[in-house]
Amino acid sequence: MQSHRRAPLFILGGGVLAGLALIAALALSQPRPYIFAGVVQPDPAPVEDFALETAGGRAIALSDLRGRYGLIVFGYTFCPDVCPGTLALLGRVLAGLGSDRDQVVVAFISIDPERDTPDRTATYATLFDPAFIGLSGTPAAIATAASRFNVTYARQEAPGSAAGYLMSHSAYVYLVDPQGHWRVSFPYGVTDDEITRDLQHLIAEVR
Amino acid sequence: MNKHLNFLATALAAAALALAACQPSMMNGHGDMGDMADGGGPNEGKVAATVGSVEIVDPWARSAAMEGGNSAIYMTLRNTSGDVDRLVSASGEAATAIEIHETKMNDGVMQMQQVEGGIEVPANGSVALKPGGYHVMLIGLVSPLKAGDMLTVTLMFESGNSVELTVPVMDPM
Ligand SMILES: [Cu+2]
């Protein structure tokens, strides 16, 4: 008699356990939203095209980078501290991507055309990684490029310094996807591993 | 039964959320845009030289491959006395000009300027010269700097003391 009374309880208990296991499996298999290290653009929109010049005065437009992820950074070759640090970091980002590095192109845009000719900017960029594209151009062309990412920059006179003048500028790295949409901005301080991980996430998403 | 399952589902969802929350955060990268530590506590790092009561800890220069380019020297200055001192100037043969500069970040905008009056080394305290902050700026390098090279720079302090320092060139990590 006792065992008869227990049997349904047993079955019920087993059913609850099975259900629990099923729910647990479902709950754990739910994809967790990926959290980007960079600042995600709320409404990724195509970046209006712009053109600058690289070595030998060769024109390169933003649209020429289509088909690959673009990491775009503004700076100047005279900068001894933040700009070379960021370019070295982006070199490590490419290295960290391994065979996926071909899907990413790094463009360094000078905001100091007075000192940075297209040749000088291109040479400087390739010293960090031979694949980097260095770009400069007329003040108007640079202003147009900067405006696409809301980059601000300004010349500051430095009368007591051998520098003569210095440039202040936005120190973000902008990520544009293969369709030319601005997706993420990385503030100064984000690590190479974090940028690599964000890129790997985006690359895996479309695979 | 349904009620129980709902309850269980909620509990499990909460557990799953708690699990997710335990994942290492991917936000808030720290301020080492690929660069060295900033000197740390009172007894960390290697004292490369002592000048007056100021210890110079872990100096390094950023590698710079550009012909005639610029670079920066970083270090921690540690004051073992109760008197404030200042790094007021620097000189050397490695570059056309050597100056004391500071990079500041305001709302994502990087700005660099020459430091008026030098860098204060607080009494019984320390100050870090590090990427994105204070640096000894090398303007117009006589020759490119590559990792493993050594350069010499003389640092002058407000106390009247000065020191000729040998600085290793490194690729920032
Ligand atoms: Cu400087």
Side-chain angles (χ1 to χ4, degrees):
Chain A
M1 242 358 224
Q2 261 188 344
S3 64
H4 259 104
R5 262 210 306 257
R6 260 188 211 154
L9 266 177
F10 237 69
I11 293 161
L12 188 68
V16 166
L17 268 177
L20 207 148
L22 183 73
I23 292 160
L26 278 172
L28 290 172
S29 69
Q30 284 296 311
R32 271 181 240 119
Y34 178 78
I35 299 166
F36 281 83
V39 180
V40 177
Q41 284 295 110
D43 303 300
V47 180
E48 203 183 323
D49 207 13
F50 60 84
L52 291 162
E53 292 164 52
T54 188
R58 187 164 63 91
I60 291 192
L62 179 70
S63 52
D64 293 333
L65 312 183
R66 290 264 167 93
R68 289 187 285 174
Y69 290 92
L71 291 173
I72 294 162
V73 58
F74 292 79
Y76 64 127
T77 70
F78 200 84
C79 172
D81 184 39
V82 167
C83 305
T86 302
L87 287 172
L89 172 124
L90 294 179
R92 295 194 302 277
V93 167
L94 288 195
L97 287 168
S99 57
D100 283 337
R101 63 168 282 149
D102 294 342
Q103 299 195 43
V104 180
V105 57
V106 172
F108 173 70
I109 300 176
S110 175
I111 42 77
D112 183 13
E114 191 173 326
R115 276 189 289 232
D116 292 342
T117 60
D119 276 326
R120 181 179 170 87
T121 313
T123 301
Y124 182 75
T126 54
L127 290 170
F128 292 88
D129 188 295
F132 283 9
I133 299 171
L135 298 168
S136 186
T138 63
I142 289 168
T144 301
S147 71
R148 299 291 191 258
F149 299 95
N150 306 324
V151 163
T152 61
Y153 60 98
R155 178 187 163 119
Q156 308 159 256
E157 300 307 318
S161 168
Y165 69 92
L166 295 162
M167 301 296 295
S168 65
H169 61 89
S170 302
Y172 288 83
V173 176
Y174 305 100
L175 191 159
V176 174
D177 72 15
Q179 290 74 43
H181 293 63
W182 174 12
R183 298 286 297 274
V184 184
S185 308
F186 298 101
Y188 180 75
V190 171
T191 67
D192 47 350
D193 287 344
E194 289 171 325
I195 297 176
T196 303
R197 198 160 51 217
D198 282 2
L199 277 164
Q200 283 168 334
H201 171 76
L202 288 169
I203 290 168
E205 215 176 37
V206 295
R207 263 203 185 122
Chain B
M1 190 67 191
N2 247 334
K3 239 184 189 166
H4 285 145
L5 272 180
N6 277 339
F7 170 76
L8 276 170
T10 310
L12 280 164
L17 274 174
L19 259 174
C22 290
Q23 296 293 313
S25 168
M26 292 175 199
M27 311 279 280
N28 296 329
H30 295 294
D32 57 343
M33 199 76 168
D35 287 299
M36 307 279 155
D38 63 356
N43 295 310
E44 281 173 45
K46 191 166 171 288
V47 177
T50 301
V51 47
S53 53
V54 174
E55 294 174 337
I56 296 165
V57 181
D58 290 339
W60 64 283
R62 182 189 292 283
S63 59
M66 190 80 171
E67 205 66 52
N70 299 338
S71 194
I73 301 172
Y74 308 99
M75 70 196 76
T76 295
L77 299 174
R78 204 151 63 196
N79 192 343
T80 57
S81 85
D83 300 315
V84 172
D85 203 348
R86 307 182 93 84
L87 171 62
V88 289
S89 64
S91 63
E93 304 298 315
T96 309
I98 303 183
E99 300 178 356
I100 312 293
H101 280 229
E102 181 180 19
T103 302
K104 281 183 184 162
M105 206 63 75
N106 290 317
D107 231 358
V109 176
M110 188 278 284
Q111 186 178 337
M112 182 170 69
Q113 62 198 37
Q114 199 169 6
V115 179
E116 306 278 342
I119 299 170
E120 181 179 315
V121 192
N124 298 309
S126 68
V127 62
L129 282 68
K130 60 178 180 177
Y134 288 125
H135 54 273
V136 174
M137 181 161 172
L138 304 167
I139 301 175
L141 290 168
V142 169
S143 57
L145 301 177
K146 58 178 194 300
D149 288 354
M150 292 285 183
L151 66 86
T152 306
V153 66
T154 300
L155 303 179
M156 272 78 74
F157 288 81
E158 195 178 53
S159 61
N161 296 304
S162 68
V163 65
E164 192 180 79
L165 191 67
T166 301
V167 181
V169 177
M170 297 186 190
D171 292 329
M173 280 300 292

